[in-house]
């Protein structure tokens, strides 16, 4: 991995840990709420294994997970579309992408994720288009996100959902989501205890 990418990932890991332990004063709505480093490594590995080219991310925050993914997808000259509604975080994400010179790999869609993916789902070009998806925004809408996104995922495409196990306040909601997935014969899914609990789902038909 390039030093510039490693350095920015390290800086963001320090910031994330300071925010989690409330050692820095950041408004709750501007906290990073990033995936863990271990999850970053998992995403990067899956993207490499799949030689993924087209990724969708719901929930950019300041770009920590996006950078982990971009580092892998760059090798396939792939692209990431990432969705975020908080302008302060979008500004920080753009600065971080510039620092690691991956801005051309990433398209930030600014606005409400449900509206944006509803719009995508009407476009024929996005049918079976994404070979990798990370769902990491508001947990209340998780099933709606999934239902909108699934037709846009290619066969053998992978969907990762963060926060299946932690924070505990989401556990019941996420359990319901996991059971919803398991009832779908068109996919295979497993809940892993990596990071905050990652659901790893593959579309099989
Ligand atoms: C858990 S954070 C994402 C962390 C990021 N994936 C990372 O690991 O670096 C969730 C993000 O989703 C954004 N978000 C929540 N609900 C949203 C919505 N309805 N539309 C767009 N963005 C949303 C929040 O502003 C927040 O930045």
């Amino acid at each position: 991995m390039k030093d510039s990418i490693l350095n920015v990932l390290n800086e963001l890991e320090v910031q994330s840990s300071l925010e989690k332990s409330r050692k820095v004063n950041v408004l709750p709505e501007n906290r990073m709420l990033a995936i863990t480093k271990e999850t970053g490594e998992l995403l990067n590995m899956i993207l490499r294994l799949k030689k993924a080219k087209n990724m969708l991310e719901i929930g950019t925050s300041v770009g920590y997970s996006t950078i982990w993914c971009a580092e892998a997808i760059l090798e396939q000259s792939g692209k990431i579309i990432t969705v975020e509604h908080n302008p302060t975080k979008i500004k920080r994400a753009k600065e971080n992408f510039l620092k690691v010179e991956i801005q051309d790999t990433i398209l930030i869609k600014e606005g409400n994720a449900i509206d944006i993916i509803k719009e995508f789902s009407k476009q024929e070009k996005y049918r079976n288009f994404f070979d990798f998806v990370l769902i990491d925004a508001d947990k209340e809408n998780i099933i709606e996100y999934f239902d909108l996104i699934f037709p846009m995922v290619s066969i053998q495409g992978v969907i990762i959902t963060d926060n299946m196990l932690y924070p505990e306040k989401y556990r019941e909601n996420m359990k319901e989501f996991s059971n919803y997935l398991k009832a779908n014969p068109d996919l295979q899914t497993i809940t892993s205890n990596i990071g905050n609990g990652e659901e790893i789902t593959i579309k099989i038909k």
Side-chain angles (χ1 to χ4, degrees):
M1 193 179 287
K2 274 178 20 188
D3 281 352
S4 59
I5 296 189
L6 263 180
N7 291 342
V8 170
L9 287 175
N10 285 339
E11 274 171 28
L12 293 176
E13 279 150 21
V14 171
Q15 174 70 18
S16 178
S17 132
L18 290 171
E19 289 184 12
K20 272 186 198 149
S21 56
R22 306 287 185 265
K23 287 190 179 139
V24 280
N25 206 4
V26 176
L27 288 172
E29 65 271 25
N30 291 336
R31 286 188 193 132
M32 288 173 60
L33 310 173
I35 55 163
T36 66
K37 180 178 181 186
E38 196 187 19
T39 298
E41 287 165 348
L42 172 78
L43 303 179
N44 188 287
M45 278 178 69
I46 299 176
L47 281 155
R48 283 177 187 282
L49 284 169
K50 279 200 63 57
K51 300 192 189 315
K53 280 182 182 285
N54 295 303
M55 170 174 170
L56 173 66
E57 176 181 56
I58 310 296
T60 321
S61 186
V62 306
Y64 177 73
S65 51
T66 327
I67 294 172
W68 266 112
C69 294
E71 200 276 333
I73 217 165
L74 264 170
E75 293 200 1
Q76 304 300 324
S77 307
K79 292 272 179 212
I80 301 176
I81 298 177
T82 183
V83 182
E84 175 58 57
H85 66 180
N86 177 324
T88 306
K89 290 184 172 185
I90 292 169
K91 184 171 174 286
R92 283 173 66 192
K94 284 182 179 166
E95 288 163 4
N96 289 327
F97 299 156
L98 273 173
K99 273 191 209 164
V100 292
E101 299 175 331
I102 53 167
Q103 66 279 7
D104 296 341
T105 304
I106 297 160
L107 173 64
I108 307 179
K109 297 292 282 186
E110 305 182 18
N112 182 282
I114 291 284
D115 296 342
I116 289 168
I117 53 178
K118 265 190 191 152
E119 200 44 53
F120 278 12
S121 66
K122 291 182 202 150
Q123 298 178 39
E124 192 50 39
K125 69 171 175 184
Y126 288 125
R127 178 157 286 275
N128 300 321
F129 180 74
F130 296 105
D131 40 19
F132 191 89
V133 179
L134 172 62
I135 307 179
D136 189 20
D138 45 326
K139 311 304 161 190
E140 297 74 20
N141 291 318
I142 195 79
I143 291 182
E144 190 176 2
Y145 283 133
F146 182 84
D147 284 345
L148 282 167
I149 289 167
F150 197 61
M152 295 193 266
V153 176
S154 57
I155 304 294
Q156 303 300 329
V158 175
I159 304 164
I160 304 286
T161 310
D162 190 34
N163 302 111
M164 296 304 292
L165 303 173
Y166 300 101
E168 280 184 41
K169 64 179 174 184
Y170 299 133
R171 181 97 45 100
E172 206 164 309
N173 201 33
M174 300 313 261
K175 182 77 195 153
E176 191 188 318
F177 173 59
S178 173
N179 289 338
Y180 178 76
L181 293 182
K182 287 187 176 109
N184 186 338
D186 295 345
L187 56 84
Q188 258 177 254
T189 196
I190 189 164
T191 312
S192 84
N193 61 6
I194 294 172
N196 294 315
E198 305 305 315
E199 189 76 15
I200 305 172
T201 307
I202 299 181
K203 179 169 173 176
I204 53 173
K205 47 182 163 121

